[in-house]
């Protein structure tokens, strides 16, 4: 049976670039997925015009029924999955957004959706498969300034329950008006996105332990500030440049690289160094 690679949220931006690069290098089937079917099929048409041959399937990772349909499709056509890129994500509507509705939207899409994937898609990942979680500098622990949560998220026996409580703590603080911007780096800009990316990083460590028995690697990539629609065209890297390290993690990295927070230059960064300068700075968007 064919090898299979899947990229969530890949009708544009980094996700689209990863699909394009995989189609050029991966010896197997590459799935471009998107929440909006029309936009997804338009993206596939662009790649086919380039002579590439991705497969397409609609996938809204925040909708369990959509994930179930995709799971059933993959099970019917293939034996399993070799590579999974968790790329789909949304951003706060404003840099200093404080609304509960916006916070919940970001958390549902960027964080809670991972549990649908874990329940329905992760069991299809073959032995020695690879999961690459697309993050950003917003995902480094130094984005959090609350000492209690820094300590708790750093513990070696971290569980999903710990990470859930961290996310719920933030969401409740927004809901009841107790949110303190001093708990988040850079004066609390884009707080919901930071919280979800830090939480995803923490889950990376947890899920690596859980998938170790199948020798599956779960790693996190910070691709740098990339010129995409999400960044409104601001960034230091083009999409083609930014996909080099994600592709390295999928195809070339040694199988011993596991549970790592990898910088855009392929260097492994200490995610637990909460005093580091790795956190996102809004000023970088205008520099």
């Amino acid at each position: 049976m064919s090898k299979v690679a899947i990229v969530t949220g890949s009708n544009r931006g980094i996700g689209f670039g990863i699909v394009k690069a995989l189609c050029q290098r991966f010896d197997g089937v590459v799935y471009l997925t998107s929440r909006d079917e029309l936009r997804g099929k338009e993206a596939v048409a662009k790649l086919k015009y380039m002579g590439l041959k991705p497969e397409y399937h609609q996938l809204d990772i925040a909708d369990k029924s959509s994930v179930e349909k995709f799971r059933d499709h993959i099970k019917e056509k293939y034996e399993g999955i070799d590579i999974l890129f968790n790329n789909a994500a949304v951003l706060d509507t404003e840099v200093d957004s404080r609304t509960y509705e916006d916070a919940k939207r970001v958390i549902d899409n960027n964080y809670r959706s991972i549990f649908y994937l874990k329940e329905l898609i992760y069991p299809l990942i073959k032995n020695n498969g690879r999961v690459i979680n697309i993050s950003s500098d917003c995902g480094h622990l130094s984005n959090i300034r609350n000492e209690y949560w820094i300590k708790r998220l750093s513990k070696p026996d971290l569980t999903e329950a710990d990470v859930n409580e961290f996310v719920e703590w933030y969401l409740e603080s927004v809901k009841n008006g107790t949110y303190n911007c001093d708990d988040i780096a850079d004066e609390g800009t884009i707080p919901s996105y930071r919280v979800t990316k830090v939480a995803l990083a923490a889950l990376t460590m947890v899920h690596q332990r859980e998938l170790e028995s199948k020798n599956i690697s779960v790693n996190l990539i910070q691709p740098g500030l990339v010129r995409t629609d999400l960044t409104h065209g601001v960034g230091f890297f083009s999409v083609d440049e930014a996909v080099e390290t994600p592709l390295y993690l999928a195809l070339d990295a040694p199988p011993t690289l596991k549970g790592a927070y990898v910088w855009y230059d392929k260097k492994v960064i200490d995610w637990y160094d909460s005093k580091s300068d790795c956190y996102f700075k809004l000023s970088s968007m205008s520099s």
Side-chain angles (χ1 to χ4, degrees), residues 16-56:
F16 180 83
I18 291 171
V19 170
K20 176 184 170 184
L22 282 171
C23 285
Q24 294 167 333
R25 278 202 55 201
F26 179 60
D27 182 21
V29 177
V30 182
Y31 268 90
L32 185 152
T33 69
S34 65
R35 178 171 45 193
D36 184 291
E37 189 166 352
L38 177 60
R39 291 177 181 174
K41 289 183 175 179
E42 287 174 348
V44 167
K46 288 180 185 177
L47 292 172
K48 287 187 174 179
Y49 183 76
M50 299 176 195
L52 305 175
K53 298 178 180 179
E55 294 289 322
Y56 175 76

Side-chain angles (χ1 to χ4, degrees), residues 77-253:
K77 290 196 70 173
Y78 302 103
E79 289 182 344
I81 298 165
D82 298 271
I83 298 169
L84 173 64
F85 278 94
N86 288 323
N87 170 71
V90 299
L91 200 58
D92 305 49
T93 52
E94 303 290 342
V95 296
D96 58 351
S97 175
R98 298 289 185 270
T99 70
Y100 173 77
E101 292 74 20
D102 191 40
K104 186 177 183 302
R105 177 185 65 88
V106 176
I107 287 168
D108 285 346
N109 279 276
N110 298 3
Y111 176 72
R112 289 176 176 153
S113 60
I114 294 298
F115 293 96
Y116 293 149
L117 294 171
K118 184 194 173 189
E119 176 189 351
L120 300 166
I121 303 299
Y122 282 23
L124 302 182
I125 301 173
K126 300 174 187 174
N127 290 354
N128 307 309
R130 299 191 172 191
V131 178
I132 300 95
N133 293 327
I134 304 295
S135 185
S136 76
D137 44 4
C138 286
H140 194 270
L141 188 59
S142 57
N143 284 275
I144 304 303
R145 297 300 164 84
N146 181 291
E147 289 298 330
Y148 170 80
W149 285 112
I150 290 172
K151 184 176 180 180
R152 189 163 170 188
L153 292 172
S154 299
K155 65 180 188 173
D157 59 346
L158 183 73
T159 65
E160 286 182 349
D162 292 312
V163 187
N164 281 334
E165 286 189 36
F166 164 65
V167 173
E168 290 303 321
W169 159 78
Y170 165 73
L171 189 59
E172 280 300 307
S173 75
V174 174
K175 187 176 183 178
N176 62 32
T178 61
Y179 167 71
N180 182 356
C181 64
D182 292 336
D183 287 330
I184 306 291
D186 201 46
E187 299 180 345
T189 53
I190 53 172
S192 300
Y193 187 77
R194 289 183 200 259
V195 165
T196 59
K197 286 302 182 182
V198 169
L200 176 63
L203 282 184
T204 298
M205 317 306 175
V206 176
H207 292 166
Q208 179 61 75
R209 293 200 312 265
E210 294 178 353
L211 295 170
E212 187 65 41
S213 62
K214 293 177 67 176
N215 199 35
I216 294 169
S217 65
V218 188
N219 290 302
L220 198 73
I221 170 68
Q222 197 287 86
L225 191 58
V226 186
R227 296 187 293 275
T228 65
D229 291 344
L230 195 68
T231 64
H232 303 289
V234 176
F236 305 115
F237 303 106
S238 69
V239 168
D240 286 343
E241 291 169 333
V243 302
E244 289 182 12
T245 299
L247 211 68
Y248 161 77
L249 289 175
L251 303 178
D252 303 320

